[in-house]
Amino acid sequence: MLENITLAKHRNPDKPSTDGFFIPDLCEGRALFVLVLVSELCVLAMVLAATGVKTFSWSYLALVSLFVQWVVLSSAFLLCTFRTRLAKLALPSAVSVAYAIVMGVTLVLSIAASWVMAGAQFSVSGWSIDGLGVLRNLVISAIMTGLVLRYFYVHSRLRSQEKAELQARIQALQSRIRPHFLFNSMNSIASLIRSAPDAAEQAVEDLSELFRASLKEAGKPIRLDQEIELCKRYVGIEQLRLGDRLEIDWQMDELSNAATIPMLTLQPVIENAIYHGIQPLPEGGKIGVLVEEQSGEVTITVSNPFNAAASTNGNGNHIALENIRSRLNAFYGSKAVLTTHVAEAIFVTRMNYPLAQVINDG
């Protein structure tokens, strides 16, 4: 049964979660690249401010860049290494420790750089260290570290707010069941109780599965074959009302566990096909559902007859499709695409998105 299927992604249970921690994973390639690029732009600005354009020194730029990148990469490595532990601390403590790590790295590398620039010579009183240079580096590092940590914090709060708003919107969309569908389903079930009790019982089970799915957590995708099973239950209920007017042709590749979809995403597409395509036509029609998995992507094509003159509530159709497009983009990013077109009185809806991480079968 669908209610016994675990939807959680594979995770290491021994590894504490750092979800929501304001410092990003600086071991991740993209974050590290952005950090290096921004720091290099800051170095260029500082060198230009110090030397001017006419007396610009490439050798000075190289030396400053070398020092700054050593500080940035070393700090990123340490913050990445201790990120899990930092995430367990209260926010003020985490900020203080992260700040201390960067300042410690800056101090050590400043002393080392000063020693190297002095020719690695020892004086009578000890190392020959440029105290003012070390102090200057610490001050600059303190200012830049404060700005970067502040940016990380603000960005994290914005992402959390956007995620919460998106989650609320998805939950609202997912829990929305058309009142007319509920009333029609109940009427169909009532009419079958005496004449076809087995069909009425099956309809009750299908309807309960749809309601159970609508009440589940909206923040996790499910396997695509589970969503298709829900869609088949929905179609079975609608066929009680429409009878022979509704036909559906399922054509599906063999799907892997990596073929996922946000729950109740395909079902509204089929609902639109029935509501806007089949229901207005006295003779009914056939809905085609083609599911393909290839080259690391999932493609779902839903086609239905379309009569612009007979179709009703076209604006509602566009709103539903736009909501589905937003859900796909939220889960799979810009690679998720939803397109529609009409060709020879056939309305075609196509969803294309990348395969996701493998999820548990439960």
Side-chain angles (χ1 to χ4, degrees):
M1 297 297 291
L2 292 178
E3 64 270 25
N4 296 324
I5 296 175
T6 302
L7 305 180
K9 295 181 180 178
H10 279 305
R11 288 185 179 179
N12 183 352
D14 299 326
K15 183 178 180 180
S17 174
T18 56
D19 294 343
F21 187 51
F22 77 100
I23 297 179
D25 183 4
L26 298 177
C27 289
E28 192 265 333
R30 182 177 179 181
L32 194 59
F33 172 76
V34 171
L35 199 60
V36 169
L37 179 61
V38 171
S39 61
E40 190 61 30
L41 290 175
C42 292
V43 168
L44 181 60
M46 287 189 297
V47 171
L48 282 173
T51 64
V53 176
K54 293 183 178 181
T55 59
F56 183 79
S57 172
W58 288 100
S59 59
Y60 181 58
L61 175 65
L63 287 174
V64 176
S65 297
L66 180 62
F67 172 76
V68 170
Q69 295 304 338
W70 267 104
V71 173
V72 169
L73 294 176
S74 300
S75 300
F77 173 76
L78 292 175
L79 291 175
C80 174
T81 301
F82 296 104
R83 184 170 183 263
T84 302
R85 296 182 181 180
L86 289 173
K88 297 178 181 179
L89 301 176
L91 180 61
S93 300
V95 172
S96 300
V97 173
Y99 210 92
I101 288 174
V102 178
M103 296 304 295
V105 169
T106 305
L107 177 61
V108 171
L109 292 180
S110 295
I111 293 174
S114 177
W115 181 46
V116 171
M117 293 299 293
Q121 298 294 324
F122 288 97
S123 65
V124 176
S125 59
W127 288 354
S128 178
I129 299 174
D130 181 7
L132 291 178
V134 172
L135 179 60
R136 177 198 60 206
N137 293 343
L138 288 174
V139 171
I140 295 175
S141 179
I143 295 173
M144 298 305 298
T145 302
L147 292 175
V148 170
L149 290 178
R150 175 63 180 173
Y151 168 78
F152 284 161
Y153 175 74
V154 172
H155 187 258
S156 175
R157 291 294 299 272
L158 288 175
R159 284 181 61 87
S160 298
Q161 182 178 354
E162 291 173 357
K163 185 177 180 181
E165 292 174 354
L166 178 62
Q167 186 75 8
R169 182 182 178 190
I170 290 175
Q171 191 68 50
L173 291 172
Q174 179 172 298
S175 62
R176 178 188 61 83
I177 294 183
R178 294 179 186 269
H180 79 270
F181 168 67
L182 175 61
F183 297 145
N184 290 337
S185 300
M186 298 303 294
N187 290 333
S188 298
I189 292 170
S191 66
L192 291 172
I193 289 177
R194 292 186 178 180
S195 60
D198 291 341
E201 182 179 357
Q202 182 62 50
V204 171
E205 291 180 1
D206 292 342
L207 187 61
S208 66
E209 289 295 341
L210 286 170
F211 270 95
R212 185 177 289 110
S214 70
L215 296 175
K216 284 186 177 180
E217 184 180 355
K220 298 177 181 178
I222 63 173
R223 290 206 319 265
L224 181 53
D225 56 357
Q226 298 172 26
E227 174 76 1
I228 291 173
E229 178 64 26
L230 283 174
C231 292
K232 289 181 177 179
R233 290 179 180 273
Y234 169 76
V235 171
I237 294 174
E238 289 287 44
Q239 282 179 325
L240 296 176
R241 179 172 63 91
L242 298 174
D244 295 337
R245 293 173 58 201
L246 173 59
E247 296 181 54
I248 188 161
D249 179 24
W250 299 93
Q251 298 182 30
M252 294 177 290
D253 289 346
E254 184 176 352
L255 300 174
S256 66
N257 285 347
T260 65
I261 193 170
M263 183 179 290
L264 296 181
T265 297
L266 177 57
Q267 183 271 333
V269 176
I270 295 178
E271 181 179 356
N272 281 337
I274 295 174
Y275 186 63
H276 299 285
I278 304 300
Q279 182 172 292
L281 302 177
E283 70 280 9
K286 178 186 291 187
I287 296 175
V289 181
L290 174 62
V291 182
E292 301 172 288
E293 178 186 337
Q294 55 186 355
S295 302
E297 292 186 337
V298 175
T299 302
I300 305 175
T301 305
V302 178
S303 59
N304 60 271
F306 179 74
N307 187 331
S311 180
T312 59
N313 196 17
N315 185 52
N317 184 27
H318 292 302
I319 293 175
L321 291 175
E322 187 59 36
N323 287 333
I324 294 168
R325 182 180 289 110
S326 298
R327 293 191 67 188
L328 290 173
N329 289 337
F331 282 100
Y332 301 105
S334 59
K335 293 183 179 180
V337 178
L338 186 148
T339 59
T340 61
H341 68 274
V342 179
E344 299 180 357
I346 299 294
F347 189 89
V348 179
T349 303
R350 180 172 290 109
M351 293 184 286
N352 185 271
Y353 56 90
L355 293 177
Q357 298 292 325
V358 178
I359 56 178
N360 286 330
D361 293 335

